[in-house]
């Protein structure tokens, strides 16, 4: 039996376009002998679309036109199945497009990587690949994530956070905390991605500007000590919290004209600056593969092992599953390593780190499907509800009609 695999991508996120690229790479890697691949595109206004046309990258050149050409669909839970049904039904009623066995969200950032789509899939009890709702949400919110990692003894940079709105009422307190850590500082919105809204401040004036800027993207603003001189090392982890493996490591480089790895560095560098060329079936577009990187970088003795260990601990602590990428900052002077963040749905699903570790992309996709089904099987044995006599014996207290407690 072939599994019907729905690959979900797009979504209301600044990484919408990157997600389209990652999803196409993933769909090309799903073995057509084992799976029927069903592309499900989520537009920026959160509508779902499905048809064979979505395999063609040309259709994304005009996203508004796409919405007129491809049928809009919705999920229906019918008996024990989840069905994709067109919104516009024909003369003889709706003609279902497909039954879904497993969903693979390949969505980056808000409304996709942050628990939103995971919660949507949970409502349908549909097995899905990658982190569950909680891990995805914690992985997206840098404030909750840092608290969780710090409390578990994982090394993070010196940091603090405030709500963006508090700059009006707590300005002195915020500036004092900034002063205590010492400039330069890096300011980030709690929940974006792709370096959007992130800036470095070298003094108070720049700090206030960067704070306002970060507050435009999220209600919470993080302030962190800048690690400098710094090297950025990433490691992918594959598995489930208690049973996972690490990939090869990569070092990523930012352009000389910016102090951080920005959107351009991540996705738009092409194969200039020695970026790794793609291999295998997925040659159409680059996505995260464009980043200027070095696989298996030379590191001071013991650092690679330390990073691998910290990657597994981070994955476990955050309750992650599937394929994630955990990013580290290394102080190039002291060799001290900090966990920067987890990416629970990394660009290009970090496949390039696995092909170098001996797991080709199709095998990585098999593993994601397997893990999704395995988690679903385990959940079926858990108790989520039980029958009670609570309502049978309930009698409304007098005078409390309609009262809300
Ligand atoms: N504490 C830090 N010191 C120096 N550079 C940093 C620090 N934190 C982040 N950066 C730089 O900013 C980039 C984006 O920050 P990150 O926390 O990874 O946000 P995003 O979720 O947008 O990727 C990093 O890849 C790195 O280049
Ligand atoms: Mg990052």
């Amino acid at each position: 039996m072939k599994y019907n695999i729905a690959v979900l991508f797009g979504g209301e996120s600044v990484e919408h376009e990157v997600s389209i690229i990652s999803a196409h790479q993933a769909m090309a890697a799903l073995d057509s002998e084992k799976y029927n691949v069903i592309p499900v595109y989520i537009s920026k206004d959160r509508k779902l679309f499905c048809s064979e046309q979505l395999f063609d990258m040309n259709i994304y050149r005009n996203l508004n036109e796409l919405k007129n050409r491809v049928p809009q669909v919705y999920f229906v839970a019918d008996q024990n199945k989840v069905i994709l049904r067109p919104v516009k039904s024909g003369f003889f009623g709706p003609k279902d497009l497909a039954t879904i066995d497993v969903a693979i969200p390949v969505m980056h950032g808000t409304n996709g990587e942050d628990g939103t789509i995971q919660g949507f899939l949970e409502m349908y009890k549909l097995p899905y690949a990658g982190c569950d709702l909680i891990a995805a949400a914690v992985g997206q919110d840098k404030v909750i994530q840092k608290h969780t990692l710090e409390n578990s003894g994982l090394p993070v940079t010196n940091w603090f956070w405030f709500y963006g709105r508090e700059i009006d009422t707590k300005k002195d307190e915020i500036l004092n905390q900034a002063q205590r850590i010492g400039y330069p500082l890096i300011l980030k919105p709690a929940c974006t991605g792709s370096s959007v809204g992130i800036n470095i401040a070298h003094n108070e004036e720049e700090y206030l500007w960067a704070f306002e800027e970060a507050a435009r993207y999220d209600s919470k603003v993080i302030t962190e000590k800048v690690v400098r001189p710094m090297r950025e090392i990433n490691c992918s982890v594959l598995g489930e919290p208690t049973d996972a493996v690490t990939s090869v490591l990569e070092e990523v480089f930012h352009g000389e004209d910016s102090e951080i790895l920005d959107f351009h560095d991540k996705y738009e560098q092409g194969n200039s600056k020695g970026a790794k060329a793609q291999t295998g079936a997925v040659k159409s577009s680059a996505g995260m593969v464009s980043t200027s990187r070095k696989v298996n970088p030379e590191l001071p003795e013991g650092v690679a092992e330390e990073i691998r260990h910290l990657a597994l601990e981070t994955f476990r602590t955050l309750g992650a599953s599937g394929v994630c990428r955990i990013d580290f900052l290394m102080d190039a002077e002291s060799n001290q390593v900090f966990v920067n963040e987890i990416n629970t749905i990394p660009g290009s699903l970090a496949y390039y780190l696995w092909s170098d570790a001996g797991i080709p992309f199709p095998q990585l996709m098999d593993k994601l499907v397997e893990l999704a089904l395995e988690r679903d099987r385990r959940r079926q044995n858990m108790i989520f509800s039980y029958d009670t006599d609570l309502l049978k014996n309930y009698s409304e207290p007098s005078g409390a009609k309609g009262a809300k407690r």
Side-chain angles (χ1 to χ4, degrees):
M1 186 198 96
K2 273 193 185 182
Y3 282 111
N4 288 339
I5 310 282
V7 175
L8 275 57
F9 56 97
E12 191 186 10
S13 157
V14 295
E15 292 159 293
H16 182 92
E17 285 77 6
V18 182
S19 153
I20 295 173
I21 295 172
S22 291
H24 276 72
Q25 293 170 333
M27 290 194 290
L30 278 163
D31 185 345
S32 57
E33 298 279 304
K34 297 181 191 159
Y35 314 113
N36 296 315
V37 181
I38 304 158
V40 180
Y41 168 72
I42 306 178
S43 59
K44 291 185 185 180
D45 54 358
R46 302 179 182 220
K47 294 182 180 126
L48 277 62
F49 297 86
C50 177
S51 99
E52 295 273 318
Q53 294 162 276
L54 293 173
F55 285 117
D56 180 2
M57 279 305 282
N58 289 316
I59 200 151
Y60 306 96
R61 288 185 202 283
N62 186 332
L63 295 176
N64 280 328
E65 216 172 275
L66 180 156
K67 291 194 271 178
N68 294 325
R69 286 170 61 186
V70 179
Q72 191 185 335
V73 296
Y74 61 104
F75 278 58
V76 185
D78 187 11
Q79 286 155 11
N80 277 334
K81 291 185 297 199
V82 179
I83 292 165
L84 271 182
R85 186 167 287 172
V87 170
K88 281 194 187 133
S89 62
F91 188 69
F92 299 105
K95 190 171 177 301
D96 295 335
L97 286 179
T99 303
I100 306 172
D101 298 312
V102 175
I104 307 185
V106 187
M107 303 172 70
H108 309 308
T110 45
N111 304 309
E113 198 175 349
D114 61 358
T116 309
I117 204 75
Q118 291 75 7
F120 174 80
L121 297 168
E122 297 265 353
M123 283 300 291
Y124 288 92
K125 267 189 176 268
L126 191 60
Y128 60 93
C131 284
D132 67 7
L133 193 164
I134 303 278
V138 175
Q140 183 69 17
D141 186 313
K142 289 182 165 60
V143 171
I144 311 280
Q145 186 184 148
K146 272 195 199 292
H147 275 308
T148 310
L149 295 177
E150 205 169 33
N151 273 334
S152 301
L154 284 148
V156 295
T157 51
N158 211 344
W159 73 293
F160 67 89
W161 73 276
F162 278 88
Y163 287 105
R165 298 172 64 174
E166 288 178 319
I167 199 69
D168 296 329
T169 51
K170 297 186 171 171
K171 188 172 161 191
D172 289 346
E173 195 183 330
I174 294 172
L175 287 173
N176 281 341
Q177 289 216 31
Q179 197 67 47
R180 242 195 319 272
I181 294 185
Y183 292 98
L185 292 163
I186 184 163
L187 289 91
K188 310 176 181 178
C191 294
T192 48
S194 288
S195 305
V196 172
I198 298 184
N199 287 285
I200 288 185
H202 303 85
N203 52 51
E204 223 165 70
E205 194 189 336
E206 286 179 10
Y207 183 90
L208 291 172
W209 175 84
F211 193 98
E212 295 279 348
E213 189 59 18
R216 290 175 56 206
Y217 295 92
D218 197 84
S219 61
K220 292 182 278 190
V221 176
I222 283 207
T223 304
E224 260 181 72
K225 177 83 188 154
V226 166
V227 179
R228 187 181 282 167
M230 185 268 285
R231 291 174 68 184
E232 289 192 69
I233 315 290
N234 302 339
C235 175
S236 183
V237 179
L238 173 66
E240 48 192 354
T242 50
D243 183 15
V245 287
T246 53
S247 69
V248 296
L249 306 187
E250 64 168 348
E251 178 164 11
V252 288
F253 304 95
H254 56 76
E256 277 157 24
D257 48 351
S258 67
E259 286 184 280
I260 64 167
L261 194 71
D262 59 21
F263 192 89
H264 168 76
D265 294 319
K266 286 177 179 169
Y267 306 118
E268 293 170 345
Q269 289 208 94
N271 279 341
S272 60
K273 296 193 192 175
K276 190 179 174 300
Q278 287 186 77
T279 51
V282 277
K283 284 209 169 94
S284 56
S285 32
M288 189 63 195
V289 178
S290 305
T291 310
S292 178
R293 64 161 46 80
K294 188 172 190 309
V295 170
N296 285 322
E298 261 176 51
L299 290 167
E301 208 187 320
V303 170
E305 293 71 23
E306 184 188 354
I307 287 178
R308 283 210 175 85
H309 167 74
L310 293 174
L312 290 174
E313 278 302 303
T314 300
F315 193 83
R316 182 189 164 278
T317 300
L318 300 178
S321 306
V323 66
C324 295
R325 199 190 71 230
I326 296 162
D327 298 350
F328 295 86
L329 306 173
M330 186 185 109
D331 184 319
E333 242 158 44
S334 68
N335 295 343
Q336 200 180 346
V337 171
F338 303 95
V339 182
N340 180 34
E341 62 161 347
I342 190 169
N343 294 281
T344 57
I345 307 183
S348 303
L349 297 184
Y351 80 85
Y352 49 90
L353 293 176
W354 292 101
S355 26
D356 279 306
I359 299 184
F361 202 179
Q363 218 170 300
L364 175 67
M365 296 310 294
D366 285 347
K367 185 73 188 165
L368 292 182
V369 173
E370 206 179 286
L371 286 164
L373 291 168
E374 179 60 33
R375 180 171 60 201
D376 187 60
R377 271 193 288 275
R378 267 203 312 270
R379 281 192 175 183
Q380 282 179 19
N381 294 329
M382 283 182 189
I383 301 162
F384 287 107
S385 68
Y386 62 93
D387 297 328
T388 73
D389 287 334
L390 196 63
L391 295 177
K392 212 189 313 176
N393 301 327
Y394 180 78
S395 61
E396 211 163 358
S398 55
K401 212 164 188 177
K404 195 175 166 197
R405 289 142 193 266

